[in-house]
Amino acid sequence: MARLSNLPDWLIYSAALAILLFAADTRRIKADAPAPPPPVPGEETTPLSPLSPFNGAKILKIPADSGRFATAFSIGEPGVWLTAQNAVKDCVTLAVVLAPGRGAQAKVTAVPGGQLAVMTTEGGAAPLPIAPGAHGHEDSFIAGFPQGQAGEAAVRLLGASFKGDHRRFNPTEPELDWAEIGRTDGLKGPLVGLEGAPVLDGLGRVQGVLIGEAPRRGRMAAAPISAIRQAMALAKVTPITQADSEPITTDNYGRAADALRRDLRVAQIWCGG
């Protein structure tokens, strides 16, 4: 039997790389979340419930074959939302989707730092709590609407970096870089439409906002806590820091994301050109 020390270096390195890739792939499979339940069917003409917090909002018809979709989340009542700046750029019409084909008219009220955008609607949902720390937790979760459908991802923190077009607005504002370790079961390809989604720590508190993705590398970029707090200050919203849900783990993050979408605390947004 040949000794390990007599084997070529390239063979040893190749074997080590194969083991690492296998381990990473196995870990990702374990972190995948079950597919969300199908959306509840509804008619575009069905009136809103008298108890709906959006009863005073102008309801828009949302065509499925035009415009673009992204994600936003509630940061204050009534009707204050946060999303990625690139999700609402050049929008002529903007809406928070309430049901298939219908949405509450929204408007952008602030674009702080070039990373994020504050939106407002008539009526809204309960705000998500904001993490008190300046740095993200190692393992976190992103809930939103990738590819126009309900979905989520599990991510691991890589670190902070300075890059992106927003640097010309605020060159000192970093981005948090994350590696994807799991996603909704059956969801393939780039996570288009997840822009603006909250990055949640294990207690369900927002610690970042997704602003970009490098699909081939399995990497995502998020605006940090400092950018979130700047946006909330401009919106005159006081952050809520107390966690108000059960801890989120790689075993239950799909169910946690479903609950946030059901309560419209995380919502799909539509941008019409």
Side-chain angles (χ1 to χ4, degrees), residues 28 32 147 183-191:
R28 171 170 172 167
D32 281 349
Q147 301 175 13
R183 60 167 63 188
T184 306
D185 190 31
L187 181 62
K188 307 295 183 183
L191 301 178

Side-chain angles (χ1 to χ4, degrees), residues 50-135:
L51 299 179
S52 170
F54 293 93
N55 241 341
K58 180 179 180 180
I59 304 302
L60 305 179
K61 181 177 180 180
I62 299 176
D65 56 353
S66 66
R68 66 179 188 269
F69 292 89
T71 303
F73 60 96
S74 176
I75 59 171
E77 295 182 283
V80 186
W81 308 81
L82 198 59
T83 188
Q85 192 272 342
N86 57 10
V88 297
K89 186 177 181 180
D90 300 325
C91 294
V92 175
T93 308
L94 187 63
V96 172
V97 179
L98 305 180
R102 292 190 301 165
Q105 186 177 46
K107 63 180 180 179
V108 176
T109 58
V111 184
Q115 288 179 311
L116 304 178
V118 177
M119 300 165 36
T120 58
T121 55
E122 290 293 332
L128 291 180
I130 308 299
H135 301 289

